[in-house]
Amino acid sequence: AWPRLCPRTLLLFTSAVHAATPTTRPASTSCRAAMSSYYRKDGVKITHDPFAPGMKEKYGAPGGTDNEGFDPYADSVGAGIYSGTVQRAADGSVVIGKQYQGHNPRPGPVYNGGGYTPISEAISRFHPETNSGVAEADTTLAKLLHAHPDLVNDVATGGASPLHTCGMSRSNQHAAAFLIGAGADVAALDTYRYTPMDRMASNNLAIG
């Protein structure tokens, strides 16, 4: 069941679009939906029919979707929907309102058009950095939290906390333990009413 969310690519939050891959070629749209034969690039089954009536009209044709929104063919989302920067009122509070593309009918943090949050970007770099020999204490994520410790529970589009963002890709999941050690809230709920662990499970991420 919806949602199954992941960044635009599985590693670095880029905007490349990957088409869903069918295991068979059903004769009709209704057959496609019934067989649920489409999979994301990471092998997770897509539980909606990306070619259902109205999908193209709302989100665009394959290869022509909004990089900041939902790509139904890849079952991926951009910064407008999850882990993106949000509008804030004069007092610093998060502005709540209609979600980007009307993707989630529930009100939530309003996207400000600024791309992914700094901590989301730092999370996407954490595993590549540590994998290349950088000590955890010297990672972009560690340095950002040292300078701004309150960002450990930052709020992004989709109501995503940094720990939710760890549940968005195979690479990001490796930052989860570090964030928890820094005080990340493991019970936080996003606007889909998912905890970080729910988000990890929805994307089949066992390490996180």
Side-chain angles (χ1 to χ4, degrees):
W2 179 255
R4 285 189 184 277
L5 305 175
C6 67
R8 278 293 178 212
T9 65
L10 298 179
L11 296 177
L12 297 177
F13 285 115
T14 64
S15 59
V17 176
H18 304 284
T21 302
T23 56
T24 61
R25 290 185 177 274
S28 69
T29 300
S30 60
C31 289
R32 280 197 296 264
M35 295 180 71
S36 299
S37 57
Y38 290 88
Y39 292 80
R40 290 197 327 223
K41 195 172 178 66
D42 61 346
V44 174
K45 196 172 193 177
I46 295 176
T47 58
H48 64 272
D49 179 5
F51 298 95
M55 200 71 76
K56 177 180 176 181
E57 290 72 19
K58 183 173 183 180
Y59 297 112
T65 56
D66 181 350
N67 288 338
E68 296 194 320
F70 177 49
D71 179 353
Y73 316 104
D75 194 24
S76 66
V77 294
I81 291 176
Y82 215 73
S83 301
T85 55
V86 299
Q87 294 181 21
R88 292 184 180 272
D91 63 0
S93 61
V94 174
V95 175
I96 303 297
K98 183 179 179 181
Q99 298 296 273
Y100 195 76
Q101 292 185 323
H103 186 66
N104 185 344
R106 298 189 187 99
V110 177
Y111 183 46
N112 74 357
Y116 292 102
T117 64
I119 196 163
S120 295
E121 296 282 8
I123 288 167
S124 74
R125 297 188 184 112
F126 183 82
H127 185 54
E129 288 175 348
T130 57
N131 215 28
S132 67
V134 176
E136 286 191 354
D138 294 325
T139 59
T140 302
L141 180 60
K143 291 177 181 178
L144 181 63
L145 287 177
H146 179 74
H148 306 283
D150 56 306
L151 290 182
V152 73
N153 288 308
D154 191 33
V155 177
T157 53
S161 69
L163 205 52
H164 281 102
T165 297
C166 290
M168 297 298 282
S169 78
R170 293 184 188 278
S171 180
N172 287 3
Q173 66 178 327
H174 292 276
F178 182 84
L179 285 172
I180 291 170
D185 183 0
V186 298
L189 293 176
D190 64 16
T191 56
Y192 300 90
R193 297 178 183 168
Y194 274 36
T195 66
M197 185 166 288
D198 292 332
R199 182 59 64 213
M200 303 276 182
S202 77
N203 284 311
N204 293 345
L205 302 177
I207 293 175

